[in-house]
Amino acid sequence: MKIGIVCYPTFGGSGVVATELGKALAKVGHQIHFITYSQPTRLDFFNENLFYHEVDIRTYPLFVYPPYELALASKMVDVVKYEKLDLLHVHYAIPHASAAYMARQILKTENINIPVVTTLHGTDITLVGKDASYAPVVTFSINASDGITAVSEDLKKDTYEHFNIIKEIEVIPNFIDLERFKKQKKEHFKKAICPDDEKLLVHTSNFRKVKRVDDVIKIFYNLRKEIPAKLLLVGDGPERNNIEALCRELGTCDDVRFLGKLEAVEEVLSVADLFIMPSEKESFGLAALEAMACEVPVISTNAGGLPELNIDGKTGFLCKVGDVEDMTQKALYILDKDNLPRFKEAALSRAKEFEVSRIMPLYETMYDRILATQEKFQAS
Ligand code: GMT
């Protein structure tokens, strides 16, 4: 199959899922064409089945806001036509689903029928999409897709509750490449960060408000009063300065390290004892799955789709959003030497249920079904 994948190329979870999906599909022989405004971060290798098409965004003195959606739709038309794509799979509804609709209508005028699959990832529904300034277009373009997937049951429910969606949404969860995300021997790294065998906590995110990184600092502050510990923060984003200020205010700076947008996150996770995800909203929690694959238990909130991943009392704990005290107590419980080994084991075994080889075929099956329906329709 020749598949066009449209996504955000930056560090967000939707871009990671889209890129990893493309790589996995390419490995089993599909030809994958990424269409984005810059090379996806995780597109770190090439094989004969992987292609990258850059969206050319032209500015003009009249454009205070260059019309990205139009440039993207035009690029989609071009790639579908000249690469003879069978299907477009767009990740994150805004503006990818509506750009795909526009591209499809243009292609129809040339008798080219290109089916579109839209994957909903989270904030495209739970935050941005719900906003009245986008909602009508989001609703329309989701309904116009030939296949719709959501990354959790919770996101599917939320989508039906807030938008008038008349089509079936299939849940296909996030997945993990266990060959990359596995506990590696990095004792020297652990020794450098935790010279006195302190417990190591890790948080990775894009430091947006919704991630509540300040709660991570507060949990760490409380926990450090009880046991020696260090905290590594991976990622960057709008809240970074506020978080640094909070560290200073609480006097935790010496034990907190900001690692920035680190690519080899699995190396950090390999030495971690506990992962903290105190998000206000989280449709799935890919970063938590990556941690679990590296045998790291998770303290998370019970928001969104997190209970579909993190099993309370087994792979970690689920706490109410903002309940820093509960999260601290549960963190101390997990880190106890009598409890940690079983939490680590359970985290890995849960992560195995989301191995890429189990999840990727669900997308393939959906593509096959859509193409078969289209063929039937064209024949009649
Ligand atoms: O908010 C982010 O972490 C980025 C965001 C995105 O769409 O780029 O991630 C969302 O998609 C991920 C992949 O499907 C999910 O694992 C994340 O839970 C989800 N984030 C939120 O819902 C906040």
Side-chain angles (χ1 to χ4, degrees):
M1 229 181 279
K2 289 185 174 187
I3 303 158
I5 291 189
V6 179
C7 63
Y8 282 107
T10 46
F11 271 81
S14 63
V16 171
V17 169
T19 315
E20 294 295 344
L21 175 63
K23 282 155 67 172
L25 289 163
K27 266 191 196 157
V28 296
H30 299 289
Q31 201 181 87
I32 304 300
H33 293 261
F34 288 98
I35 307 173
T36 69
Y37 59 78
S38 74
Q39 178 151 333
T41 325
R42 288 269 179 108
L43 196 56
D44 45 9
F45 76 97
F46 270 93
N47 78 10
E48 71 275 18
N49 290 331
L50 287 173
F51 299 83
Y52 164 59
H53 307 267
E54 190 158 304
V55 181
D56 195 13
I57 314 157
R58 294 288 159 97
T59 54
Y60 186 69
L62 270 183
F63 300 158
V64 178
Y65 308 105
Y68 176 64
E69 195 174 342
L70 301 190
L72 175 61
S74 298
K75 191 55 140 186
M76 287 186 197
V77 169
D78 181 70
V79 178
V80 169
K81 254 163 77 175
Y82 292 101
E83 301 292 349
K84 303 198 171 14
L85 299 190
D86 298 304
L87 182 138
L88 280 172
H89 187 171
V90 303
H91 292 258
Y92 206 90
I94 306 170
H96 301 151
S98 46
Y101 174 77
M102 203 187 310
R104 199 171 60 176
Q105 294 307 103
I106 295 165
L107 288 159
K108 258 188 196 157
T109 64
E110 300 185 35
N111 288 324
I112 299 171
N113 279 307
I114 184 84
V116 174
V117 172
T118 298
T119 289
L120 311 172
H121 281 273
T123 50
D124 48 348
I125 295 301
T126 57
L127 278 179
V128 202
K130 275 179 190 166
D131 193 291
S133 48
Y134 295 115
V137 177
V138 172
T139 309
F140 176 83
S141 43
I142 291 175
N143 277 325
S145 306
D146 300 277
I148 311 160
T149 78
V151 298
S152 63
E153 290 292 343
D154 185 79
L155 184 62
K156 171 176 170 175
K157 192 169 130 268
D158 215 0
T159 310
Y160 281 129
E161 260 168 36
H162 290 93
F163 301 87
N164 184 18
I165 302 301
I166 51 169
K167 286 196 172 159
E168 179 60 27
I169 299 176
E170 189 177 328
V171 174
I172 303 185
N174 286 177
F175 52 83
I176 190 86
D177 176 0
L178 290 171
E179 275 177 34
R180 173 174 172 181
F181 285 90
K182 61 180 174 206
K183 195 173 175 64
Q184 305 169 7
K185 285 199 180 313
K186 293 277 168 196
E187 277 82 11
H188 57 290
F189 182 36
K190 177 82 183 247
K191 191 85 195 146
I193 303 160
C194 303
D196 297 318
D197 213 20
E198 296 92 338
K199 291 292 178 214
L200 184 61
L201 279 67
V202 172
H203 169 80
T204 69
S205 78
N206 45 24
F207 284 59
R208 285 181 293 166
K209 262 205 173 337
V210 69
K211 300 290 178 181
R212 295 183 70 99
V213 190
D214 49 336
D215 283 357
V216 178
I217 305 297
K218 290 175 196 163
I219 295 163
F220 180 70
Y221 171 74
N222 288 345
L223 183 131
R224 213 189 46 150
K225 286 191 219 158
E226 307 294 328
I227 56 168
K230 301 274 182 184
L231 171 65
L232 294 181
L233 296 168
V234 183
D236 208 343
E239 285 299 297
R240 160 86 188 249
N241 286 347
N242 294 341
I243 300 307
E244 268 181 299
L246 183 62
C247 283
R248 285 184 198 152
E249 192 187 312
L250 297 177
T252 55
C253 293
D254 287 348
D255 294 322
V256 179
R257 290 273 289 271
F258 290 81
L259 299 182
K261 289 180 179 174
L262 197 81
E263 279 195 36
V265 63
E266 66 277 15
E267 292 183 7
V268 175
L269 293 170
S270 290
V271 295
D273 295 300
L274 186 64
F275 189 82
I276 313 279
M277 183 174 258
S279 307
E280 179 140 8
K281 288 181 194 298
E282 199 67 60
S283 63
F284 181 86
L286 179 62
L289 174 57
E290 292 178 344
M292 287 158 75
C294 296
E295 300 177 34
V296 187
V298 173
I299 291 282
S300 75
T301 55
N302 55 9
L306 283 169
E308 294 169 48
L309 170 68
N310 189 14
I311 303 170
D312 197 38
K314 239 186 133 189
T315 59
F317 282 104
L318 296 163
C319 306
K320 282 195 201 124
V321 174
D323 195 342
V324 168
E325 190 44 49
D326 189 34
M327 289 189 232
T328 309
Q329 291 312 317
K330 300 275 169 60
L332 285 166
Y333 180 83
I334 292 178
L335 291 171
D336 187 288
K337 66 174 181 2
D338 292 333
N339 299 329
L340 193 53
R342 83 183 138 88
F343 276 96
K344 280 175 176 275
E345 203 180 304
L348 175 60
S349 118
R350 178 72 175 146
K352 285 181 179 166
E353 293 174 37
F354 298 92
E355 225 280 296
V356 59
S357 60
R358 290 184 176 203
I359 309 297
M360 188 265 286
L362 303 177
Y363 284 110
E364 272 181 306
T365 306
M366 180 180 232
Y367 301 158
D368 283 339
R369 194 178 62 233
I370 290 169
L371 289 175
T373 313
Q374 177 170 287
E375 268 168 34
K376 227 189 250 143
F377 181 73
Q378 277 168 351
S380 64

